[in-house]
Structure formats: structure tokens, C-alpha cells
Amino acid sequence: MSLEINLELTDADLAHFRHLMDAAIAKSEQLSNEEIISRAKALVEKMESAPLPEFVQSRLMSLSALINAVQDEEWQMPEDEKKEIMTSLAYFSEPEDIVPDHVPVIGYLDDAIMIELVLQNLSLDLKAYREFCGFRATEEARRGEAAKVNRENWLAGTRAQIRSSMRRNRSGAKRPSFFSRIM
């Protein structure tokens, strides 16, 4: 038997999460990008070893993909996009959060909510990165050992095309209000 629970966050709730994100960003200003990534990865590893509800698990995969996107040298993320993701990862580099992670079932609820809020803003970035990874994997499988030959050339064209499409989509989309003050 399963139970479905829907949450609706009010403007006051979102303001609370915005405040938490602002505080995490302020605390992370002394941290290097490597430290932020390392701490966010540690949270992902901790969450992966915990028995998580599906709604948390699905968001965890997206957080992990954002971390991978920032670190993927072949993706060659522009600095402005990297800064936006690093700012978003700041919350996940903070060890203390609203609900202690050790609380069964709901310990990662606040993390899942924040991931969801971050993804509203970065969904196009994540979609573009996943598209790039799919292309790269397909080409590696198709080319075999030849995938190493002129690798940067065959990646560059697709990377530029995916980024161009992402920017067009971004310019037509409104940024969610959650990030209006943060980013």
C-alpha cells in the first residue's frame, strides 16, 4: 500500500526557502568551487546509501547530473552558467538543514524540495547536458575506437548546437520567482 501526499508551498514557504538559500550562499562565499562540489557530492553519496522515498530519489539523480555537468570538461560549460549552478549547489554543501537527514522517510524532504526549486531554474541546463551526454554515448558506441579520433571536433558542433538551442529556450522562458533575488 502506498500513500500519495501533495505539498503546496505558499509564498511565505518559498520566502523561507529563499532565505535558507541566501544564507547558504553567504556561508559558501569562503568556499572554493571544489569544496562546494565535494560537499554536494558527499550529500549525494550519503543520500544514495539511505533508504529514500522515490520522490527524493528522482530528484537526487538530477542533483547528481548538475554536479557532473559542472565537472565535465568535454561539456565546456561557460563561466556564467557554471556560476549559476555553483550558486545553486551552495545549499547542498551546507551540512545543517531544516529536517535532520537521519530522520526516517522525511529526513531528506527539505533537500528534495530545494532540489526541485533549483531544477525549476536550471531545467534547461540539465536537459541540454543530458542531451549532450546522450549524443556522446551514442557516438562513442557507434565509432568504437575511432571515437578518440577528432573527438573534440565531433563534440564541438553538437555542443554548440545544444547550447544555442538552450539559450533560445531560456530567452523565451521566464525565470521562476524563487530565484529572482538569488541569481
Side-chain angles (χ1 to χ4, degrees):
M1 177 177 143
S2 63
L3 173 67
E4 181 176 326
I5 299 173
N6 294 306
L7 297 173
E8 182 176 335
L9 299 178
T10 65
D11 287 340
D13 298 329
L14 291 174
H16 180 70
F17 276 95
R18 203 171 9 272
H19 173 73
L20 292 173
M21 180 62 89
D22 288 340
I25 290 168
K27 281 185 176 180
S28 72
E29 287 177 356
Q30 309 92 304
L31 301 176
S32 68
N33 284 351
E34 292 76 23
E35 289 173 304
I36 292 172
I37 289 171
S38 175
R39 290 179 179 191
K41 277 180 146 180
L43 174 67
V44 167
E45 289 170 9
K46 185 177 168 187
M47 290 172 77
E48 286 175 338
S49 65
L52 299 175
E54 190 281 325
F55 70 91
V56 177
Q57 186 67 37
S58 64
R59 282 147 185 91
L60 173 64
M61 291 170 39
S62 295
L63 178 61
S64 188
L66 284 174
I67 294 168
N68 292 339
V70 168
Q71 295 186 297
D72 190 335
E73 291 181 16
E74 289 184 326
W75 179 228
Q76 297 179 2
M77 183 177 289
E79 281 305 310
D80 61 326
E81 292 173 20
K82 185 175 184 176
K83 184 176 190 252
E84 190 171 17
I85 291 176
M86 294 305 299
T87 300
S88 297
L89 291 177
Y91 177 83
F92 306 104
S93 68
E94 208 25 61
E96 297 176 24
D97 49 17
I98 302 171
V99 181
D101 294 339
H102 68 275
V103 176
V105 182
I106 63 166
Y108 292 104
L109 178 61
D110 58 322
D111 298 296
I113 291 170
M114 190 61 83
I115 293 169
E116 186 64 30
L117 294 170
V118 164
L119 291 176
Q120 285 182 6
N121 189 58
L122 298 173
S123 63
L124 294 175
D125 300 77
L126 190 56
K127 180 182 176 201
Y129 178 65
R130 286 181 169 154
E131 186 178 337
F132 175 78
C133 289
F135 168 78
R136 180 172 53 190
T138 299
E139 284 300 300
E140 287 171 344
R142 185 179 73 79
R143 294 173 186 242
E145 279 299 309
K148 296 176 184 170
V149 177
N150 293 324
R151 183 177 183 89
E152 180 51 32
N153 289 340
W154 58 263
L155 286 174
T158 297
R159 184 175 46 239
Q161 180 183 6
I162 291 170
R163 279 228 169 78
S164 175
S165 175
M166 178 183 69
R167 287 188 182 109
R168 272 193 314 276
N169 289 338
R170 186 179 286 151
S171 68
K174 281 180 80 173
R175 183 174 298 258
S177 61
F178 176 73
F179 282 101
S180 61
R181 285 189 13 230
I182 297 172
M183 305 280 187

